[in-house]
Amino acid sequence: MENSAVFYRIKPLKIKTKKAVGYNIKSLDSLYVINDYYMKTNKLQFEGFSKDKEGEYLVGNAKWYNENNTLLDSRDFNYKENNKSKFEFPKLPILYLDYKIATKSQFIGGLEFCLDCENKNKLFLGLGFGITSYNDNYYGLPDLHLSYNTAKFLFVKAGVSDKHAYGLAGMTVLNVLDLGFGYSQPFNNDKIPVIKGFTFGATFRFSSNQKVYTQIRIM
């Protein structure tokens, strides 16, 4: 996985809002300067300004870098007109690979979109296609799912194919790997393949957008 290195943050300092972003903001006299660095190289990983010292409410231009000091992403959190940043789909989708086993094993691959990557808790919308075998025959399975991953390393997931619906809950390792247990329910027990019963699932995510992943902060 790229750009998922552990980073550290120096103690944020406060500067005047206009000096930071070039314009005044009502009821916001100053902003915190947020700078994060990669632990391995001490190179800059993130720079920006925030209303809070935790860096949760960004203001103005924010930039993310990889370990080679190459700019990965730059976003402008513009507060000239209002105090809310606009929702945007990420520029690049996430590649996911998924394995599930209920009555039969299922291998699925596809794309996910991070619907809420600005917050610690992430919401992923995924669309993919997989295969399973049943009675020595192979069958294709479309996959549509929503996965809610919290900053406390837990997730809940609900999905559907043309044959069954499923729900899973479990632990996530920095959103790189989700491991869950749940149940699958077929729409019709007479339509093969029949995917039914208690289900174990594992999902891997690959993305150049490091905001997809939960970062470990060492202050």
Side-chain angles (χ1 to χ4, degrees):
M1 182 196 71
E2 296 180 358
N3 309 317
S4 59
V6 177
F7 60 89
Y8 66 90
R9 175 172 296 170
I10 63 174
K11 184 178 179 180
L13 300 176
K14 295 189 79 173
I15 64 172
K16 293 294 183 179
T17 299
K18 188 171 183 179
K19 184 178 180 180
V21 297
Y23 54 87
N24 292 319
I25 300 174
K26 186 177 180 180
S27 303
L28 193 60
D29 180 63
S30 58
L31 295 168
Y32 287 95
V33 180
I34 307 295
N35 287 317
D36 295 339
Y37 298 87
Y38 286 104
M39 287 193 64
K40 283 185 178 181
T41 61
N42 294 317
K43 290 184 178 180
L44 192 65
Q45 181 266 341
F46 171 82
E47 61 179 345
F49 304 98
S50 176
K51 294 166 65 176
D52 64 310
K53 62 182 179 181
E54 287 77 26
E56 297 299 322
Y57 301 96
L58 298 175
V59 181
N61 189 251
K63 297 179 180 179
W64 290 262
Y65 302 88
N66 66 13
E67 290 182 278
N68 296 320
N69 207 34
T70 301
L71 182 66
L72 289 174
D73 194 10
S74 177
R75 299 191 184 186
D76 189 18
F77 297 84
N78 194 330
Y79 280 72
K80 288 183 178 180
E81 297 179 355
N82 54 60
N83 289 336
K84 293 183 179 180
S85 58
K86 296 181 180 179
F87 169 82
E88 292 182 354
F89 277 97
K91 295 178 181 178
L92 294 175
I94 305 155
L95 173 65
Y96 80 93
L97 298 176
D98 185 273
Y99 170 76
K100 292 189 187 68
I101 182 168
T103 49
K104 291 292 180 179
S105 295
Q106 307 152 59
F107 297 91
I108 301 169
L111 299 176
E112 281 187 327
F113 294 91
C114 190
L115 301 183
D116 193 4
C117 264
E118 302 302 332
N119 295 320
K120 291 182 179 179
N121 301 329
K122 315 295 184 184
L123 181 62
F124 299 105
L125 171 66
L127 180 64
F129 191 83
I131 58 171
T132 188
S133 62
Y134 199 87
N135 295 334
D136 296 325
N137 292 315
Y138 288 93
Y139 297 86
L141 286 174
D143 179 67
L144 176 66
H145 67 261
L146 277 173
S147 183
Y148 183 70
N149 293 40
T150 74
K152 296 183 178 180
F153 308 106
L154 299 174
F155 81 94
V156 291
K157 183 177 183 179
V160 65
S161 75
D162 60 336
K163 303 291 185 182
H164 74 297
Y166 63 88
L168 296 171
M171 296 185 63
T172 179
V173 182
L174 306 177
N175 297 333
V176 179
L177 170 63
D178 296 350
L179 296 172
F181 190 74
Y183 194 84
S184 296
Q185 179 63 43
F187 297 135
N188 190 329
N189 287 323
D190 297 326
K191 274 193 173 183
I192 59 175
V194 177
I195 300 174
K196 180 180 181 179
F198 292 104
T199 304
F200 169 79
T203 301
F204 294 88
R205 291 187 181 87
F206 306 90
S207 176
S208 60
N209 180 4
Q210 60 187 303
K211 290 197 289 184
V212 166
Y213 306 110
T214 300
Q215 305 289 336
I216 297 178
R217 294 179 179 174
I218 299 177
M219 303 301 288

